[in-house]
Amino acid sequence: MRENIVTSDNFEQYLISHPFIGKPQNLYNSMNYIMQLGGKRMRPKLLLLAYQCVANELNQDAYKLALAIETFHNFSLVHDDIIDNAPIRRGKNTVHKEWSVATAILSGDNLLVKSIELIMNTSFANKDKLLNEFLMLSQQVCEGQQIDLNLPTQEIITEEEYLEMIRLKTAVLPAAALRMGAMAAGANSENGDLYYDFGLNLGMAFQLQDDYLDCFGNSSETGKLEGGDIIENKRTIMYLHALKNLNSEDKDKLQSWYDNPAHDNDMKVKSVRDLFKKAGSDNYLLKLKAEFEDCALSNLDKACHDSETKQQILSLFELLKTRTA
Amino acid sequence: MRENIVTSDNFEQYLISHPFIGKPQNLYNSMNYIMQLGGKRMRPKLLLLAYQCVANELNQDAYKLALAIETFHNFSLVHDDIIDNAPIRRGKNTVHKEWSVATAILSGDNLLVKSIELIMNTSFANKDKLLNEFLMLSQQVCEGQQIDLNLPTQEIITEEEYLEMIRLKTAVLPAAALRMGAMAAGANSENGDLYYDFGLNLGMAFQLQDDYLDCFGNSSETGKLEGGDIIENKRTIMYLHALKNLNSEDKDKLQSWYDNPAHDNDMKVKSVRDLFKKAGSDNYLLKLKAEFEDCALSNLDKACHDSETKQQILSLFELLKTRTA
């Protein structure tokens, strides 16, 4: 077994031993606070595994690039939490609750800058390409978040529009992380694209699973409000499917739950869940998710020919497939 | 006279003919809206003039770099306006008023990303250096803004702390713009530093003049609320000077105006102005401002040896020295 194998521990260790340093203290404290709130560190791990698969080794620059991706992810979390007015993340106060909206805006801005600085501080020969990939990613994430904000004001949403939103808001991040890892390690662009597609399909499956768990997951396991999307009248893929496939009476019921303020949220969640099941929307989502997973697996088979690393990637993948939170 | 001389018009023309394009429409509209609100375009013009002075010509890449600086400036305006809860900029709604806080956060984020993309899209041989300068600038501006937010909670502020805040929040931007222009044109680092120092001293003088005009300017000329800083109890350089130099009775009066809610803001502004004058704080500020201007002029003499370009820079400078708004 190789020494430099990617585990949760060694990326976490790298992150902890590379805090952001600067003044004023509260700005940098807020940045390190969100960075150190934990999480699965999926994106940097995927980047490191792609790097390892191509280069057959890891080095400090690969970790720096992985930290850049995690830093970017945290920038987007800090700003999204302001936008969503979310008080809690991973069981702790969000940055704008712990400090203020003003500090959270600046904290996110500086995390974005730091993520680019980390890339600039690597010595990869194709740093320009990596940075361009990263800038494209950054724009797509902003666009995806704005498209998500626009959805409630849109009269009609198609499934394609919903999927495009989650592609930009969620799936391009693991995709770009994987392609950056592969490219930094010297993969050709064809191989890089296979990693990208793997990440994109994985990300889509991930988000669809999130949507499923939000609706049908057990809140004691997910740690989230049960049926949060339903309570917020989010027109998810299950809602869009149900609306198309319910009979006219049930369709009216579903629309009525979404169009009128609910007096009893538990009742609303239960009723909407039942309507989703009646329309087969839960199975529709699970089938769609499985398709994305199958594509991802096929991409991975073509992209990565190092069996040990592939096994590690699949372990992350299995973790995803069975995760409940 | 050279054809490619820098005027307001040709940078403005470049900006107008290079809007940001992308989807969703409202995100990109909000970015182009703030970019096209006008203004003196001091920072990009300074960058172009430094470039012209060193290279004796201008080209598309120089304009692109100038647009990057202006885009960055607009990113910071959009986020600062949210932080300051400002409804109006240049007589129009701020981005968060015209759209929403959420869109303004994303609009600023994407402007920051676009500014870096513009730099990446140039073909300067020392692009890495330019980008590093730009990243340092970005961090300093975030830090300066947070230091400014922290000041009201600080028991005691020294003049040095106040000056450091305006250095980071305001002066590093023209400084970095000038050094980037010079470096992109091939200046050596010593010459680049002279441009930087020129911009820094110019920026300090600029901000001190702003502070002076906020207090003693005519609102019909400045377009700003008369005595806005006083009404907001901002502990500016004049306040800090007056507190140190007034007799004990007047010092108590000044503190009382700042520590207690005012029933009559006009009366407060008038009284505090009188106390500033009594302490000689207005002249103290003007002397300090003149010192920064003298340093700036001396830096410029050493930095730029092209008399025509220097004259153009001095014209901007004169505009600054005599400006009332």
Side-chain angles (χ1 to χ4, degrees):
Chain A
M1 185 152 171
R2 287 171 299 199
E3 273 180 52
N4 48 18
I5 215 80
V6 180
T7 70
S8 315
D9 278 2
N10 48 20
F11 177 73
E12 198 68 30
Q13 196 50 51
Y14 183 84
L15 184 150
I16 297 286
S17 58
H18 291 80
F20 297 117
I21 294 166
K23 282 180 183 174
Q25 203 64 58
N26 57 344
L27 178 63
Y28 283 84
N29 284 349
S30 71
M31 292 158 65
N32 292 320
Y33 169 87
I34 182 80
M35 289 295 291
Q36 295 175 8
L37 272 189
K40 291 179 294 295
R41 313 295 190 190
M42 289 286 285
R43 297 155 194 85
K45 276 187 210 167
L46 287 169
L47 185 151
L48 288 169
L49 286 164
Y51 187 96
Q52 182 180 285
C53 192
V54 174
N56 205 31
E57 59 153 23
L58 285 174
N59 56 31
Q60 286 291 308
D61 268 355
Y63 275 95
K64 211 176 270 177
L65 203 58
L67 187 57
I69 275 288
E70 183 65 10
T71 302
F72 174 83
H73 176 53
N74 278 275
F75 137 73
S76 78
L77 295 181
V78 172
H79 281 189
D80 284 2
D81 283 342
I82 305 172
I83 289 171
D84 299 341
N85 202 14
I88 300 290
R89 169 160 306 273
R90 305 195 205 291
K92 301 273 180 120
N93 280 343
T94 46
V95 172
H96 66 275
K97 280 286 163 196
E98 187 70 17
W99 282 269
S100 64
V101 167
T103 295
I105 290 174
L106 295 169
S107 183
D109 291 344
N110 211 14
L111 285 167
L112 176 55
V113 174
K114 283 288 178 188
S115 66
I116 294 165
E117 192 187 58
L118 280 162
I119 299 174
M120 286 298 291
N121 286 344
T122 63
S123 51
F124 295 117
N126 56 354
K127 205 157 66 176
D128 271 25
K129 256 195 182 162
L130 298 173
L131 198 47
N132 283 331
E133 169 93 50
F134 195 79
L135 293 173
M136 188 179 75
L137 162 71
S138 307
Q139 288 167 55
Q140 288 176 324
V141 170
C142 288
E143 290 164 5
Q145 176 70 342
Q146 182 65 52
I147 292 170
D148 193 18
L149 289 172
N150 292 348
L151 287 186
T153 65
Q154 231 174 285
E155 187 96 18
I156 296 162
I157 307 173
T158 63
E159 273 186 35
E160 287 69 30
E161 284 173 314
Y162 185 79
L163 292 174
E164 173 67 0
M165 182 276 288
I166 66 177
R167 180 180 79 83
L168 291 168
K169 195 178 163 179
T170 306
V172 293
L173 187 42
L178 281 154
R179 183 154 63 187
M180 285 174 72
M183 276 163 49
N188 62 26
S189 76
E190 198 187 341
N191 192 228
D193 291 351
L194 284 170
Y195 275 104
Y196 190 87
D197 291 344
F198 164 58
L200 202 65
N201 286 313
L202 187 70
M204 295 301 288
F206 184 97
Q207 186 56 48
L208 288 173
Q209 172 155 292
D210 232 37
D211 287 2
Y212 180 83
L213 289 174
D214 187 279
C215 182
F216 294 106
N218 185 326
S219 71
S220 68
E221 286 173 1
T222 61
K224 290 181 186 171
L225 185 65
E226 218 154 296
D229 285 349
I230 294 172
I231 293 167
E232 287 177 36
N233 303 314
K234 279 209 181 165
R235 293 182 286 175
T236 60
I237 206 90
M238 284 192 283
Y239 173 82
L240 298 174
H241 177 270
L243 216 55
K244 228 164 55 184
N245 291 280
L246 286 170
N247 63 37
S248 130
E249 190 188 336
D250 285 334
K251 187 178 152 176
D252 287 349
K253 276 190 203 158
L254 179 59
Q255 280 188 312
S256 166
W257 278 116
Y258 268 59
D259 291 347
N260 302 303
H263 300 294
D264 182 343
N265 274 332
D266 287 346
M267 175 73 89
K268 175 178 178 179
V269 170
K270 197 190 161 311
S271 307
V272 171
R273 271 178 178 169
D274 288 346
L275 289 165
F276 284 175
K277 284 197 169 167
K278 200 166 175 184
S281 307
D282 51 342
N283 288 328
Y284 177 75
L285 177 145
L286 292 172
K287 191 169 154 281
L288 202 58
K289 181 200 146 200
E291 283 169 17
F292 281 115
E293 281 179 341
D294 289 345
C295 285
L297 277 174
S298 156
N299 298 141
L300 180 62
D301 270 339
K302 289 180 201 150
C304 175
H305 302 110
D306 175 76
S307 61
E308 198 178 322
T309 304
K310 194 158 122 185
Q311 204 43 57
Q312 286 182 268
I313 297 176
L314 285 172
S315 309
L316 280 181
F317 204 7
E318 286 305 310
L319 183 77
L320 167 66
K321 279 178 94 167
T322 58
R323 84 196 177 99
T324 47
Chain B
M1 186 152 171
R2 286 170 302 199
E3 274 180 52
N4 48 18
I5 216 78
V6 180
T7 70
S8 315
D9 278 3
N10 50 18
F11 177 73
E12 198 68 29
Q13 197 49 50
Y14 183 84
L15 185 151
I16 297 286
S17 58
H18 290 80
F20 297 117
I21 293 164
K23 282 182 183 172
Q25 205 62 59
N26 57 344
L27 179 62
Y28 283 84
N29 284 348
S30 71
M31 292 158 64
N32 292 321
Y33 169 86
I34 181 80
M35 289 294 293
Q36 295 175 9
L37 271 190
K40 289 178 295 295
R41 314 294 190 190
M42 288 286 286
R43 298 155 193 84
K45 276 188 212 167
L46 286 169
L47 185 150
L48 288 168
L49 287 165
Y51 187 95
Q52 181 181 285
C53 191
V54 174
N56 205 30
E57 58 153 23
L58 285 175
N59 56 32
Q60 286 290 309
D61 268 355
Y63 275 95
K64 211 176 269 177
L65 203 58
L67 186 58
I69 275 289
E70 184 65 10
T71 302
F72 174 83
H73 176 53
N74 279 274
F75 137 73
S76 78
L77 294 181
V78 172
H79 281 188
D80 284 2
D81 283 342
I82 305 172
I83 290 171
D84 299 341
N85 202 14
I88 300 290
R89 168 159 308 272
R90 307 197 203 289
K92 301 271 180 122
N93 279 344
T94 46
V95 172
H96 65 275
K97 281 287 162 194
E98 187 70 16
W99 283 270
S100 64
V101 167
T103 296
I105 289 174
L106 296 169
S107 183
D109 291 345
N110 212 14
L111 285 167
L112 175 56
V113 173
K114 284 289 180 188
S115 66
I116 293 165
E117 192 187 58
L118 281 162
I119 299 174
M120 286 298 290
N121 286 344
T122 64
S123 52
F124 295 116
N126 57 354
K127 202 157 68 178
D128 271 25
K129 255 195 183 163
L130 298 173
L131 197 48
N132 283 331
E133 169 93 50
F134 194 78
L135 294 172
M136 188 179 75
L137 162 71
S138 308
Q139 288 167 55
Q140 288 176 325
V141 170
C142 289
E143 290 164 4
Q145 175 70 340
Q146 183 64 52
I147 292 171
D148 193 19
L149 288 172
N150 292 348
L151 286 186
T153 66
Q154 231 173 285
E155 187 96 20
I156 296 163
I157 307 172
T158 63
E159 275 186 34
E160 287 70 31
E161 285 173 314
Y162 185 79
L163 292 174
E164 173 66 1
M165 182 276 286
I166 64 178
R167 181 180 78 84
L168 291 168
K169 196 178 163 182
T170 307
V172 293
L173 187 42
L178 282 153
R179 184 154 63 189
M180 285 174 73
M183 277 163 49
N188 63 25
S189 77
E190 198 187 340
N191 192 228
D193 291 351
L194 284 171
Y195 276 104
Y196 189 87
D197 292 343
F198 164 58
L200 203 65
N201 286 313
L202 187 69
M204 295 301 289
F206 184 95
Q207 186 56 48
L208 288 173
Q209 172 156 294
D210 233 36
D211 287 2
Y212 180 83
L213 289 174
D214 186 280
C215 182
F216 293 107
N218 186 326
S219 71
S220 68
E221 287 173 1
T222 62
K224 289 180 184 170
L225 185 64
E226 217 154 296
D229 286 349
I230 295 172
I231 293 167
E232 285 178 37
N233 303 314
K234 279 209 181 164
R235 293 183 287 175
T236 59
I237 205 91
M238 284 192 282
Y239 173 82
L240 298 174
H241 176 271
L243 216 55
K244 229 164 56 183
N245 291 281
L246 285 170
N247 64 36
S248 130
E249 191 188 335
D250 286 333
K251 185 178 153 178
D252 287 349
K253 276 189 203 158
L254 178 59
Q255 279 188 313
S256 166
W257 279 116
Y258 268 59
D259 292 348
N260 302 304
H263 299 294
D264 182 344
N265 274 332
D266 287 346
M267 175 74 89
K268 177 179 176 179
V269 170
K270 197 192 162 306
S271 307
V272 171
R273 271 178 178 170
D274 288 345
L275 288 165
F276 284 175
K277 285 198 170 169
K278 197 165 175 185
S281 307
D282 51 342
N283 289 327
Y284 177 75
L285 178 146
L286 292 173
K287 192 169 152 279
L288 202 58
K289 181 200 148 201
E291 282 169 17
F292 281 115
E293 280 179 341
D294 289 346
C295 285
L297 277 175
S298 154
N299 298 142
L300 180 63
D301 270 338
K302 288 181 203 151
C304 175
H305 301 111
D306 175 76
S307 61
E308 198 178 324
T309 305
K310 196 159 118 185
Q311 204 43 55
Q312 287 182 266
I313 297 177
L314 285 172
S315 309
L316 281 181
F317 204 6
E318 285 305 310
L319 183 76
L320 167 66
K321 280 178 94 168
T322 57
R323 85 196 175 97
T324 47

